[in-house]
């Protein structure tokens, strides 16, 4: 029996359906009959020919147990449906259900920050300072001992729901008073916010004793943006070789120490050359389809083979998997509702993902934007307006746009910085500075691309008119300086080299050594 992901929602999408369908097909080829339990009519897993039996029922303990008692399957796979079935795993096991693959105790170990930190200390793997709190007093005490800013989030949630960066005691008090469902066994998690750190992640296939890491993914946005919303490059491009080796070694150590059986996703951040573990997810993650497609590795079928090996007696395929050299890049980009203000943060807002593959990261990023329905222009006018935090890097981004022949418009301080760097730029008025202003230019079709990075709640409200009108006028907009740099590099590459030849996925895979 395979437990699906339930209704699709923000933070839990179609990637889990991908995993469930591939698992059903793999089980079929291994000689098993399959039962899928899922309640979403929009998925492939609920198609009549995907599994031998389909139960279109809600993923609740009562429903799953009644199906289990009726069908009496050899076991249940819970790790392919995301957080929804994982939240049921412990109760199912307590009711006598045989959970195949990674056990519920391991899943709880990864969620329990105290136990997880103790395990990291034992393995000698660094984590950002953190703590857990259930009251305002505990939270402010922990935050002050760690030092602001801190990242706060509830435990056991989908898509980083309720996650925020908090900068002072007043904001912490507001957050704790607004937090819902905080109990001693479901506390608020508080972590040191890694400032200006590169975030990356690694997916692994593990048999409980050995783990294999196909590639490390490098996030384009810095730490603090939810991994589901962040664009990322597979394999990584800017991570130093020694850090890459460290990430792979840490991933293998953690998977083996936790006895993960099946898939696992690890999140890391690199600050000043040091690798920190952010979290471990002993389950299928949203990046599994992307890693499978870019690296040419069938992650779900391999995991399914491992998960069922206790029944079939087949040897684990993990040891036979060797290192791969991938001579091209895949860029994942998040897709959002067109009407949603696109400010990125720790809480996930995207509804899906697309993938662009090319020889160079610039072209792959350009393709990914096109696939996400946010095609980048190759000429015209770019508006740049960034917050104080991003000002040191704005000249570099503006120089690439200028090199590509774009006319640059910029607001106040941003314009001064660009002009000081010797790059031609024209000052434009914000809404409250009079007319003609940014809004007039967008409405009249004078702007082809917007780079606008807000900071803090006040600025988000202040700049939201700009992004709302960009959505209305269908002008591509970028809300982080890292994505702006990637976009500028992508435009530069396409302008210099034009579109490369189109290759099938199989042709890309034939280049892997």
């Amino acid at each position: 029996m395979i437990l699906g992901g339930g209704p699709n929602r923000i933070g839990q999408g179609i990637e889990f359906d991908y995993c469930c369908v591939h698992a059903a097909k793999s089980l079929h080829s291994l000689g098993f009959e399959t039962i899928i339990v899922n309640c979403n009519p929009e998925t492939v897993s609920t198609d009549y020919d995907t599994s031998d039996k389909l139960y279109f029922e809600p993923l609740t303990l009562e429903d799953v147990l009644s199906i289990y008692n009726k069908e009496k399957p050899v076991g249940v796979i819970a790790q392919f449906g995301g957080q929804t079935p994982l939240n049921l795993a412990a109760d199912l096991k307590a009711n006598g259900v045989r959970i195949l693959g990674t056990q519920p105790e391991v899943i709880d170990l990864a969620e329990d920050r105290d136990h997880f930190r103790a395990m990291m200390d034992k393995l000698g793997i660094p984590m950002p300072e953190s703590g857990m709190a259930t009251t305002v007093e505990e939270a402010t005490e922990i935050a002050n001992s760690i030092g602001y800013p801190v990242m706060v989030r509830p435990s056991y949630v989908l898509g980083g729901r309720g996650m925020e960066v908090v900068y002072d005691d007043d904001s912490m008090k507001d957050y704790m008073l607004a937090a819902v469902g905080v109990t001693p066994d479901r506390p608020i998690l508080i972590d040191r916010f890694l400032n200006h750190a590169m975030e990356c992640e690694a997916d692994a296939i593990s048999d409980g004793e050995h783990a294999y890491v196909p590639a490390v993914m490098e996030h384009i946005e810095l730490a603090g943006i939810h991994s589901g919303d962040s664009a990322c490059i597979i394999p990584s491009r800017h991570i130093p070789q020694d850090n890459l080796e460290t990430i792979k070694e840490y991933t293998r150590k953690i998977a083996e120490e936790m006895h993960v059986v099946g898939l696992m996703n690890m999140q890391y951040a690199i600050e000043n050359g040091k690798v920190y573990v952010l979290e471990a997810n002993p389950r299928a993650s949203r990046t599994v389809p992307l890693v499978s497609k870019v690296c040419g590795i069938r992650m779900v079928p391999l995991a399914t083979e491992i998960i069922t090996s206790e029944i079939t007696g087949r040897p684990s395929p993990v040891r036979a998997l060797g290192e791969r050299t991938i001579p091209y890049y895949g860029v994942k980009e998040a897709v959002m509702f067109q009407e949603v203000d696109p400010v990125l943060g720790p809480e996930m807002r995207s509804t899906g993902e697309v993938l662009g593959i090319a020889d160079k990261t610039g072209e792959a990023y350009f393709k990914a934007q096109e696939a996400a329905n946010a095609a980048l222009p190759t000429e015209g006018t770019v508006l740049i307006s960034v917050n104080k935090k991003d000002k040191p890097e704005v000249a570099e981004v503006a120089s690439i746009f200028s090199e590509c022949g774009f006319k640059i418009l910029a607001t106040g301080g941003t314009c001064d910085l660009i002009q000081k760097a010797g790059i031609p730029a024209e000052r434009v008025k914000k809404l409250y500075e009079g007319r003609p202003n940014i809004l007039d230019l967008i409405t009249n079709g004078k702007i082809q691309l917007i780079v606008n990075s807000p900071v803090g709640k006040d600025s988000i409200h202040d700049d939201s008119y700009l992004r709302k009108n960009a959505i209305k006028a269908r002008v591509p907009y970028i809300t982080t300086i890292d994505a702006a740099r990637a976009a500028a590099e992508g435009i530069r590459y396409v302008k210099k080299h034009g579109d490369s030849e189109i290759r099938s996925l199989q042709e890309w895979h034939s280049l892997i050594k």
Side-chain angles (χ1 to χ4, degrees):
M1 183 194 286
I2 301 166
L3 301 183
N8 280 7
R9 68 204 83 171
I10 308 296
Q12 178 154 343
I14 212 71
E15 60 278 352
F16 299 121
D17 189 54
Y18 168 99
C19 293
C20 292
V21 171
H22 277 263
K25 288 180 182 294
S26 306
L27 288 165
H28 205 263
S29 66
L30 290 167
F32 289 97
E33 267 189 71
T34 55
I35 303 160
I36 282 182
V37 182
N38 205 0
C39 54
N40 185 354
E42 292 295 317
T43 57
V44 182
S45 64
T46 53
D47 283 0
Y48 71 93
D49 57 351
T50 298
S51 56
D52 296 290
K53 288 185 179 179
L54 168 68
Y55 278 86
F56 202 88
E57 300 292 339
L59 284 142
T60 64
L61 184 64
E62 182 185 359
D63 287 284
V64 174
L65 277 177
S66 62
I67 297 165
Y68 183 84
N69 293 330
K70 179 178 184 289
E71 293 289 348
K72 297 183 170 51
V74 290
V76 171
I77 299 176
Q79 63 174 267
F80 291 141
Q83 197 70 47
T84 304
L86 284 189
N87 287 347
L88 291 176
D91 287 339
L92 288 172
K93 190 173 182 179
N95 280 277
V97 173
R98 183 184 184 184
I99 302 289
L100 297 173
T102 305
Q103 293 303 296
E105 300 81 38
V106 174
I107 294 158
D108 286 342
L109 170 66
E111 287 283 358
D112 187 314
R113 284 278 139 160
D114 284 344
H115 283 128
F116 187 66
R117 181 173 288 280
M119 187 174 80
M120 293 303 101
D121 291 342
K122 177 188 165 190
L123 295 172
I125 297 174
M127 278 184 79
E129 298 84 357
S130 69
M132 294 187 292
T134 52
T135 65
V136 174
E137 292 73 26
E138 281 177 17
T140 49
E141 191 181 323
I142 290 164
N144 281 298
S145 67
I146 292 171
Y148 287 106
V150 291
M151 184 83 83
V152 289
R153 66 187 177 97
S155 46
Y156 294 92
V157 295
L158 293 170
R161 199 166 61 228
M163 194 187 277
E164 270 184 41
V165 179
V166 171
Y167 292 90
D168 52 48
D169 282 354
D170 289 342
S171 304
M172 178 64 85
K173 186 179 178 183
D174 292 344
Y175 180 88
M176 291 300 291
L177 292 174
V180 178
V182 179
T183 60
D185 60 331
R186 299 226 160 177
I188 293 293
L189 308 178
I190 303 168
D191 293 277
R192 176 166 76 87
F193 179 64
L194 296 168
N195 211 11
H196 217 74
M198 180 192 286
E199 199 165 322
C200 45
E201 53 188 305
D203 279 346
I205 308 166
S206 172
D207 60 11
E209 293 175 6
H210 301 91
Y212 174 70
V213 183
V216 175
M217 291 156 276
E218 170 194 325
H219 288 200
I220 287 172
E221 281 83 9
L222 293 177
I225 304 296
H226 191 281
S227 59
D229 286 350
S230 185
C232 74
I233 305 168
I234 319 171
S236 66
R237 181 184 161 200
H238 300 104
I239 301 173
Q241 190 58 38
D242 59 331
N243 285 158
L244 279 177
E245 294 305 324
T246 302
I247 288 166
K248 287 187 176 183
E249 183 197 342
Y250 286 176
T251 305
R252 285 192 288 265
K253 273 186 179 177
I254 293 165
E256 288 158 16
E257 180 69 23
M258 288 170 72
H259 300 295
V260 171
V261 179
L263 297 175
M264 182 177 85
N265 170 266
M266 291 297 306
Q267 311 253 340
Y268 297 96
I270 303 169
E271 185 188 49
N272 301 325
K274 187 174 181 180
V275 177
Y276 291 89
V277 169
L278 299 181
E279 62 178 2
N281 297 304
R283 56 167 171 82
S285 73
R286 70 181 65 79
T287 49
V288 165
L290 304 161
V291 175
S292 299
K293 284 174 165 61
V294 175
C295 301
I297 182 165
R298 299 163 68 247
M299 290 187 76
V300 176
L302 286 168
T304 307
E305 209 175 301
I306 291 163
I307 289 165
T308 55
S309 61
E310 57 184 283
I311 300 164
T312 62
R314 281 170 174 259
S316 165
V318 172
R319 289 190 194 187
L321 298 171
E323 284 292 317
R324 291 163 178 244
T325 304
I326 299 157
Y328 54 84
Y329 294 96
V331 169
K332 175 211 95 169
E333 183 54 284
V335 180
M336 303 203 186
F337 286 124
Q338 291 298 301
E339 298 79 19
V340 170
D341 189 352
V343 175
L344 300 179
E347 187 169 357
M348 187 169 164
R349 292 181 174 209
S350 59
T351 56
E353 287 141 338
V354 294
L355 176 66
I357 297 179
D359 290 313
K360 295 285 185 286
T361 51
E363 190 187 3
Y365 186 85
F366 193 92
K367 282 183 177 182
Q369 296 308 311
E370 199 170 18
N373 207 18
L376 297 171
T378 53
E379 58 188 17
T381 301
V382 58
L383 167 71
I384 305 176
S385 177
V386 299
N387 57 40
K388 285 179 189 165
K389 184 166 60 76
D390 292 332
K391 282 195 164 53
E393 297 166 78
V394 77
E396 180 199 346
V397 173
S399 73
I400 303 174
F401 280 119
S402 182
E403 183 193 326
C404 293
F406 277 80
K407 178 185 176 184
I408 296 172
L409 299 179
T411 55
T414 306
C415 188
D416 294 339
L417 276 169
I418 294 170
Q419 289 174 342
K420 201 183 278 184
I423 301 156
E426 201 176 296
R427 190 181 301 273
V428 64
K429 290 175 181 171
K430 289 188 176 180
L431 190 63
Y432 57 85
E433 292 175 337
R435 305 187 77 161
N437 55 41
I438 297 171
L439 206 51
D440 299 322
L441 294 170
I442 293 172
T443 307
N444 296 330
K446 304 283 188 193
I447 293 171
Q448 280 67 51
L449 180 65
I450 294 171
V451 175
N452 167 237
S453 65
V455 65
K457 284 197 160 44
D458 299 336
S459 298
I460 286 173
H461 296 313
D462 178 37
D463 290 348
S464 63
Y465 73 89
L466 202 166
R467 294 184 297 279
K468 281 170 188 160
N469 283 280
I471 291 166
K472 205 186 278 184
R474 298 192 176 278
V475 178
Y477 42 71
I478 296 165
T479 60
T480 67
I481 198 75
D482 316 292
R485 189 186 295 107
E489 287 172 357
I491 292 167
R492 179 167 64 184
Y493 183 87
V494 170
K495 284 200 81 165
K496 272 188 184 173
H497 303 276
D499 288 338
S500 61
E501 58 173 306
I502 294 171
R503 296 178 190 154
S504 67
L505 207 51
Q506 289 80 359
E507 285 174 291
W508 286 114
H509 290 168
S510 69
L511 303 174
I512 297 171
K513 294 182 176 65

